Amino acid sequence: MDWLAASESWWGRVVLERGIAAVYVVAFLSAALQFRGLLGSNGLTPVPKFMERSTFRTSPSIFHLHYSDRFFGCVCWSGVAVSAAMVTGLADLVPLWGAMALWLGLWVAYLSIVNVGQVWYSFGWESLLLEAGFLAVFLGNDETAPPLPVLILACWLLFRVEFGAGMIKIRGDRCWRDLTCLDYHHETQPMPGPLSWFFHRMPKPLHRVEVAGNHVAQLLIPFGLFAPQPVAGIAAAIIVVTQLWLVASGNFAWLNWLTIVLACSVIDDDTYGWTRPAHAPSTVPGWFGVAVLAFTVLVVVLSWRPARNLLSRRQRMNSTFDPLHLVNSYGAFGSVGKIRHEVVFEGTSDTVVDQHTEWREYGFKGKPGDVTRAPRQWSPYHLRLDWLMWFAAVSPSYARPWIGALCAGMLSNDHDIVKLLRHNPFPDHPPEWVRAVLYRYRFTTWEELHRTRAWWHRERVGEYLAPVFSGVSGRATQSGDDTDRRK
């Protein structure tokens, strides 16, 4: 099937496949290192309890067939191993059908994790990886020329990511329209990075330029992806630059990196003078071409609801319209917080809590805590508990399903739960009580940073969670209620 071949996109396919595989490595590694504390049988939201109230039809997952913490870990580490091998070119060392089977296996494994991952896997980049990962099944290997329909579908996916994000902003918070959102966003985003302080302290006119540039990159440039070369390549390059800007200014897991990989699929060998391997085929095998066409028709049909969502005044952010996450809608930060609240957990060894009690603070790996600790770079790795703590500070309702289990884990020094934290102030003996306090955080000024060496300034707002006591039986009991005490 010569008419399905896009021979000029040989290197674009290589970058796309290896890039998707590299993101899979990070995603499976993130799952492997965090699942016991989050989703394990004794985790914050155990998978077995979730499966008691869900079905295979609503949440397709191999874990409906069998679940144990050991089996979950085997799936994660197998995913790391296979995807790492794909980065090094495993797909080109096996027959075409074998490469398709490997990609499909990775997709099934990660879909299985996401569909039992509950609130910890409710982010748009999970759906983005699954959609890109299923697309990779039909990209082929060294036995076939890159299939043109699949490369067009990669552009369509990239378009939805960028244009969806642009539309949700322009329809959302007024600050996106008056170009003031980035006066706040670098400071109030879920997990600031090492350079976020400096981005926040840029002159306000530069923040206006940032917002305006964002609108151009997300609302206008994506249409250029479907233009002839070199226009499409230039549009893709602009998207790459803007995504690298986002990588530098914050931590958004693998969202930006996977977007960059998708943009690289627009690479055109002939335009840039890149030489293809001498053995590179210039046609698509018949059976593979039929599979590609069937997949293309499926995506076109499933694209109706995401496309309609793009044009809707009630646009939904980061939504999937089927449990397989095949074609999704994307977009984030339709509204931007103007102030930053942080929930700080503290514990004490005192048996009686009074005004003289000495409280010691727990430290998280990524979210702000110690004011003298500079924000760290974590992306593309995803710290799931730290991200949910940002939502918990926005409203206690986000934390209600798991905050009690988190306190119980602190009160018992549960290894898997405490391992999710950076610092446990009670390494030898668990505390008698834990509590949570709400603080308002802001970045320090240049003068404050020079004088105090602190990146953050914080002020106590009030009690977020009343002291919780381990009790004689070891079960956590709470003093008072867990209502929002910010008012």
Side-chain angles (χ1 to χ4, degrees):
M1 292 186 175
D2 296 350
W3 59 280
L4 286 180
S7 301
E8 71 282 357
S9 297
W10 182 270
W11 288 110
R13 178 180 65 180
V14 170
V15 174
L16 182 57
E17 287 184 324
R18 305 294 174 89
I20 292 173
V23 175
Y24 263 137
V25 172
V26 177
F28 280 113
L29 184 64
S30 173
L33 296 179
Q34 300 179 61
F35 87 90
R36 287 186 180 274
L38 300 177
L39 299 167
S41 299
N42 297 311
L44 301 183
T45 58
V47 169
K49 290 185 178 179
F50 170 76
M51 291 192 296
E52 289 175 1
R53 59 182 189 274
S54 65
T55 65
F56 184 88
R57 186 179 66 84
T58 58
S59 58
S61 172
I62 59 176
F63 299 117
H64 280 287
L65 306 177
H66 171 72
Y67 179 82
S68 69
D69 288 355
R70 178 172 294 180
F71 180 60
F72 195 103
C74 287
V75 170
C76 294
W77 287 112
S78 297
V80 172
V82 174
S83 52
M86 299 293 265
V87 172
T88 62
L90 174 62
D92 294 326
L93 302 178
V94 298
L96 179 54
W97 63 266
M100 296 179 70
L102 287 170
W103 283 116
L104 185 61
L106 288 173
W107 178 80
V108 169
Y110 199 65
L111 176 72
S112 297
I113 293 171
V114 169
N115 278 346
V116 299
Q118 305 163 73
V119 294
W120 314 105
Y121 284 78
S122 59
F123 302 96
W125 46 76
E126 314 293 358
S127 293
L128 181 59
L129 177 55
L130 285 172
E131 186 170 348
F134 196 74
L135 183 145
V137 175
F138 301 91
L139 280 171
N141 65 358
D142 276 359
E143 293 185 10
T144 175
L148 178 61
V150 180
L151 294 175
I152 294 175
L153 293 180
C155 287
W156 168 232
L157 172 55
L158 178 59
F159 178 89
R160 280 181 283 123
V161 171
E162 288 291 285
F163 193 68
M167 290 302 294
I168 204 73
K169 292 181 178 69
I170 209 71
R171 289 180 176 134
D173 202 318
R174 180 180 178 180
C175 67
W176 288 114
R177 296 186 294 276
D178 63 23
L179 308 183
T180 60
C181 269
L182 293 186
D183 292 354
Y184 316 98
H185 171 71
H186 296 305
E187 180 179 73
T188 63
Q189 63 182 304
M191 195 183 301
L195 300 179
S196 297
W197 186 96
F198 299 95
F199 276 87
H200 179 68
R201 288 302 169 195
M202 291 193 308
K204 290 187 183 297
L206 289 182
H207 287 160
R208 309 294 184 271
V209 173
E210 274 190 289
V211 180
N214 178 87
H215 290 333
V216 172
Q218 294 187 328
L219 294 173
L220 298 178
I221 296 300
F223 289 94
L225 296 171
F226 303 100
Q229 294 290 355
V231 175
I234 294 172
I238 292 173
I239 290 174
V240 169
V241 170
T242 57
Q243 291 297 316
L244 289 173
W245 185 271
L246 295 174
V247 168
S249 64
N251 283 291
F252 301 99
W254 53 80
L255 172 63
N256 309 120
W257 291 108
L258 190 48
T259 304
I260 290 170
V261 168
L262 288 168
C264 289
S265 69
V266 185
I267 292 174
D268 181 275
D269 303 343
D270 295 336
T271 300
Y272 299 100
W274 293 356
T275 304
R276 292 184 288 277
H279 67 274
S282 59
T283 187
V284 174
W287 69 268
F288 182 62
V290 171
V292 165
L293 290 176
F295 169 64
T296 303
V297 171
L298 175 65
V299 173
V300 169
V301 172
L302 294 178
S303 292
W304 163 246
R305 294 180 70 182
R308 187 176 62 179
N309 182 68
L310 280 177
L311 302 176
S312 173
R313 293 183 178 180
R314 297 182 179 180
Q315 180 186 358
R316 295 163 57 184
M317 296 189 299
N318 294 328
S319 297
T320 182
F321 297 99
D322 65 87
L324 298 179
H325 300 259
L326 293 179
V327 185
N328 313 288
S329 63
Y330 302 97
F333 295 107
S335 61
V336 171
K338 307 303 188 293
I339 59 175
R340 182 183 197 92
H341 284 119
E342 286 291 343
V343 178
V344 175
F345 280 89
E346 299 173 332
T348 181
S349 297
D350 295 352
T351 55
V352 177
V353 172
D354 55 29
Q355 64 271 27
H356 302 296
T357 297
E358 178 187 357
W359 294 95
R360 285 183 275 174
E361 187 173 322
Y362 286 85
F364 286 75
K365 295 178 180 179
K367 88 176 194 68
D370 179 0
V371 296
T372 62
R373 184 172 183 259
R376 299 299 198 265
Q377 183 66 40
W378 283 96
S379 65
Y381 190 81
H382 185 199
L383 291 172
R384 301 184 183 280
L385 177 59
D386 292 67
W387 262 79
L388 263 293
M389 288 302 302
W390 180 81
F391 285 99
V394 173
S395 172
S397 62
Y398 289 107
R400 192 165 291 122
W402 48 268
I403 194 169
L406 178 60
C407 290
M410 293 175 173
L411 288 167
S412 62
N413 264 2
D414 182 277
H415 175 264
D416 294 322
I417 292 177
V418 172
K419 191 171 67 172
L420 298 171
L421 308 175
R422 178 183 63 88
H423 169 64
N424 175 16
F426 304 93
D428 300 320
H429 301 284
E432 295 291 332
W433 297 81
V434 295
R435 70 175 184 180
V437 180
L438 192 71
Y439 284 89
R440 177 175 177 177
Y441 274 64
R442 66 165 175 82
F443 276 134
T444 54
T445 63
W446 286 96
E447 187 276 330
E448 287 172 327
L449 177 63
H450 178 74
R451 176 169 48 85
T452 66
R453 297 294 187 268
W455 297 93
W456 296 96
H457 172 82
R458 73 181 188 183
E459 297 176 0
R460 178 173 169 143
V461 175
E463 188 177 69
Y464 182 90
L465 183 69
V468 180
F469 179 52
S470 61
V472 176
S473 65
R475 293 172 61 96
T477 57
Q478 186 175 335
S479 172
D481 57 41
D482 62 350
T483 56
D484 185 355
R485 291 174 170 79
R486 286 178 288 172
K487 297 182 179 179

